[in-house]
Amino acid sequence: MNKLLKLSLAVLLLASVIAWFQPNVLHNNTKYLHDVAAKFPALVSFFKWFHGSKGSTTSTDHSELKEPTSAPVEPTRVFTKEELANYKGENGGDIYLAIMGRVFDVTRGRDFYGPGGGYAFFSGVDGSRAFVTGDFKPEGLIDDITGLGSQDYIGLRDWLDFYTKDYEYIGKLQGLFFDADGKTTEYYHDAQQWIKEASSHKEDEDLFKEKFPMCNIEYKPEEGSRVWCSTKSGGIKRDWVGFPRSLYSADSKNIRCACAQEADLNDSLLKEYPNCPKDATSCMLPK
């Protein structure tokens, strides 16, 4: 379909829906029009279809192979910390922030990152550590991420993914992660290893939770606590129920109720509950 025709249909469809549901919207700004359109799934799908056709050819041969898109170009600009500090959005200027040494242009998020915004403290600095510690004081807004926990490193990885997808990656910050030439430092590679190990550890934890899902539990003052297993206990959907057992951590510091399959009942980390039959799927805990 001709691009101009599709655009005309898109505008007509949007205007018709808005005129019917919210006629006053037509007098408001473009941003609000987009917000209204987003409330109608059919319209959202239509606009995705329209934008998806941008730059397409008139060919209808869908079997034609496309050339793979090239990897995004790595930015060459290197900021010093003093230079980055100039981009806090003051007087309507651009807003940049850094995370793990990568600088992103977040100007279009001025309401959040600009002066007075809820995340203004991240602007003009590399506050990597604060993204996961929540310490937004100057001494907490630092790029040093040494000694964080596994979940923190996973959180940093997710934050970096977020900025990479949602904002423009425009440069590197001279400091812990990159040198004055924009080359990676030893610290950069250490940080990558910490994140890799944390991700691997999380995968192991997830597999362990699937092997030994948590029990359901309830408490009644007159009866005490009861634990039991089901095919959905612990948030793990499965085709087996399991038997309630006390599950000890390797260092014996943490204990929780777990549902175990018959084949795993001899695991050294599992203990039977007193006065509860071995094949019971529900146990009353000692008061």
Side-chain angles (χ1 to χ4, degrees):
M1 185 184 294
N2 182 275
K3 181 178 176 182
L4 181 58
L5 178 58
K6 287 198 290 185
L7 177 58
S8 300
L9 287 173
V11 173
L12 179 60
L13 178 58
L14 175 59
S16 299
V17 174
I18 292 174
W20 178 265
F21 288 98
Q22 299 188 42
N24 292 332
V25 169
L26 294 177
H27 298 290
N28 292 332
N29 57 36
T30 304
K31 178 182 182 301
Y32 192 69
L33 287 174
H34 281 276
D35 291 342
V36 172
K39 297 177 183 177
F40 300 93
L43 280 179
V44 174
S45 299
F46 185 88
F47 284 118
K48 282 184 178 178
W49 165 71
F50 172 74
H51 287 300
S53 68
K54 201 171 183 180
S56 62
T57 66
T58 56
S59 172
T60 57
D61 183 6
H62 299 293
S63 64
E64 183 180 349
L65 295 177
K66 296 181 179 179
E67 289 294 326
T69 56
S70 58
V73 178
E74 191 78 5
T76 57
R77 184 174 180 182
V78 180
F79 294 80
T80 65
K81 291 185 177 181
E82 292 74 22
E83 288 173 332
L84 183 61
N86 293 323
Y87 293 93
K88 295 185 178 182
E90 296 170 348
N91 300 316
D94 290 341
I95 309 171
Y96 302 163
L97 65 74
I99 178 169
M100 294 179 64
R102 298 174 188 265
V103 180
F104 294 89
D105 184 343
V106 295
T107 306
R108 64 183 180 82
R110 185 177 299 278
D111 289 346
F112 302 104
Y113 301 102
Y119 299 121
F121 41 75
F122 282 127
S123 299
V125 299
D126 186 332
S128 296
R129 195 176 190 89
F131 276 96
V132 292
T133 64
D135 182 359
F136 304 128
K137 297 188 292 294
E139 57 269 25
L141 286 161
I142 57 177
D143 54 355
D144 185 0
I145 59 172
T146 307
L148 295 174
S150 292
Q151 293 302 318
D152 295 326
Y153 288 123
I154 292 170
L156 272 173
R157 178 200 65 190
D158 293 343
W159 273 114
L160 185 58
D161 287 345
F162 164 75
Y163 284 104
T164 301
K165 291 175 183 175
D166 280 36
Y167 292 98
E168 183 182 1
Y169 172 32
I170 60 170
K172 301 165 186 174
L173 180 65
Q174 180 184 349
L176 285 177
F177 297 91
F178 298 97
D179 63 20
D181 296 320
K183 301 219 172 121
T184 55
T185 62
E186 184 176 350
Y187 188 91
Y188 171 93
H189 295 288
D190 287 342
Q192 294 302 309
Q193 185 62 29
W194 298 335
I195 292 173
K196 181 179 178 181
E197 290 173 358
S199 300
S200 175
H201 181 62
K202 184 178 184 301
E203 291 174 3
D204 291 341
E205 282 186 340
D206 290 343
L207 289 173
F208 192 73
K209 287 178 182 177
E210 289 182 8
K211 182 178 180 180
F212 295 122
M214 293 178 64
C215 309
N216 300 305
I217 186 167
E218 67 176 0
Y219 172 77
K220 295 181 179 179
E222 66 278 8
E223 298 178 9
S225 297
R226 179 175 77 95
V227 293
W228 76 98
C229 296
S230 67
T231 55
K232 295 181 180 179
S233 58
I236 307 295
K237 294 183 179 181
R238 54 196 188 274
D239 57 5
W240 53 274
V241 175
F243 307 99
R245 293 291 188 271
S246 290
L247 176 65
Y248 289 73
S249 60
D251 56 10
S252 298
K253 291 182 179 179
N254 299 307
I255 306 173
R256 69 171 174 85
C257 180
C259 297
Q261 299 185 74
E262 185 173 0
D264 297 318
L265 292 178
N266 292 326
D267 193 296
S268 60
L269 297 178
L270 297 174
K271 304 294 180 186
E272 294 178 13
Y273 283 109
N275 304 316
C276 185
K278 293 182 178 181
D279 57 353
T281 57
S282 176
C283 297
M284 295 300 301
L285 303 186
K287 294 185 180 179

